[in-house]
Amino acid sequence: MNRDEALTLLENSGMDIKEVEGIFYQFKEDNEVVSMVAMNLSRRTSVYDKQMGKSETLISLLNELAKSNDMSSRWAVAKNHHTKAETLEFLAKDGINLVRALVATNPNTPVSVLSKFFFDEKIVRDGLSGNPNTPLKYLLILAQDSDKMVRLRVVENPSFPLDEVAKMADDVEMNVQKAVEVRLREVK
């Protein structure tokens, strides 16, 4: 198979995962193909169905892609909910802040890593706001953040206690106020 054929095949997220694996290993040094492999893996998973696309081959490929010098591949691995904790720990040391920010959002990221991220760059800290495993002490601080989107994600975070959510009802931002209403209404 040549490179162009591989790129065309990778556009199909329904192709057999073993074929994807074969393409990856055949073109492992080609960043464009590697990036397409990562995108193929992303398209075959769903945030709504956590088991969709899960396989040992998928997890193995995610582990390999985490070592890629292609940033978009590492980015795709960092946000994938099938990525193992050990791989996320590895990506937590990535030199690209966006990769680390996506690791911060991933619920599979160990709490020990999330705690270290609180002292990272703002984009990385902001990623913590929606992660249900972020320690409460950090969520309480993020609830006071100057960025309205951070506060919104904290309100929507299922781990953020309802009594703390209620305290945010008078937020200066209408969208945060609405999110508080929705979250409090969900428990009634």
Side-chain angles (χ1 to χ4, degrees):
M1 162 184 334
N2 68 40
R3 180 181 187 276
D4 290 336
E5 291 171 330
L7 289 170
T8 300
L9 285 171
L10 288 169
E11 290 176 12
N12 175 10
S13 59
M15 75 184 289
D16 185 87
I17 190 76
K18 288 292 192 183
E19 290 180 63
V20 175
E21 181 182 44
I23 291 171
F24 172 75
Y25 284 110
Q26 181 179 349
F27 295 96
K28 194 174 181 177
E29 303 304 318
D30 185 322
N31 279 347
E32 186 177 0
V33 175
V34 168
S35 180
M36 283 294 291
V37 167
M39 293 305 111
N40 181 286
L41 299 183
S42 290
R43 287 192 307 269
R44 64 178 58 235
T45 60
S46 166
V47 294
Y48 304 107
D49 178 355
K50 298 293 185 197
Q51 293 305 309
M52 184 175 155
K54 185 174 183 179
S55 71
E56 288 305 314
T57 303
L58 174 88
I59 293 167
S60 174
L61 282 169
L62 290 170
N63 292 339
E64 288 297 317
L65 289 166
K67 302 171 202 163
S68 172
N69 62 9
D70 175 59
M71 189 277 298
S72 65
S73 296
R74 297 190 317 275
W75 179 83
V77 174
K79 70 179 185 143
N80 194 300
H81 58 266
H82 293 305
T83 302
K84 296 289 188 187
E86 308 82 53
T87 304
L88 291 165
E89 286 183 62
F90 171 78
L91 288 173
K93 300 172 187 123
D94 200 278
I96 304 294
N97 62 6
L98 181 57
V99 173
R100 294 191 314 277
L102 289 166
V103 171
T105 67
N106 194 316
N108 295 335
T109 301
V111 171
S112 60
V113 172
L114 295 176
S115 295
K116 290 176 187 169
F117 277 156
F118 191 75
F119 303 99
D120 204 319
E121 295 177 53
K122 180 170 177 29
I123 188 174
V124 179
R125 287 192 314 272
D126 292 352
L128 296 171
S129 60
N131 191 320
N133 297 319
T134 298
L136 179 59
K137 67 181 181 178
Y138 298 126
L139 289 176
L140 291 169
I141 296 167
L142 291 168
Q144 306 299 317
D145 197 273
S146 61
D147 184 331
K148 67 181 177 184
M149 292 308 296
V150 171
R151 295 191 314 275
L152 180 68
R153 285 190 299 270
V154 169
V155 167
E156 293 172 343
N157 188 322
S159 296
F160 195 59
L162 292 176
D163 60 325
E164 294 296 332
V165 170
K167 292 177 186 177
M168 297 177 71
D170 295 327
D171 193 277
V172 296
E173 288 293 328
M174 184 69 75
N175 289 338
V176 174
Q177 292 174 19
K178 287 180 182 177
V180 168
E181 288 175 27
V182 168
R183 180 94 190 278
L184 294 176
R185 201 174 25 232
E186 288 174 354
V187 296
K188 290 183 182 180

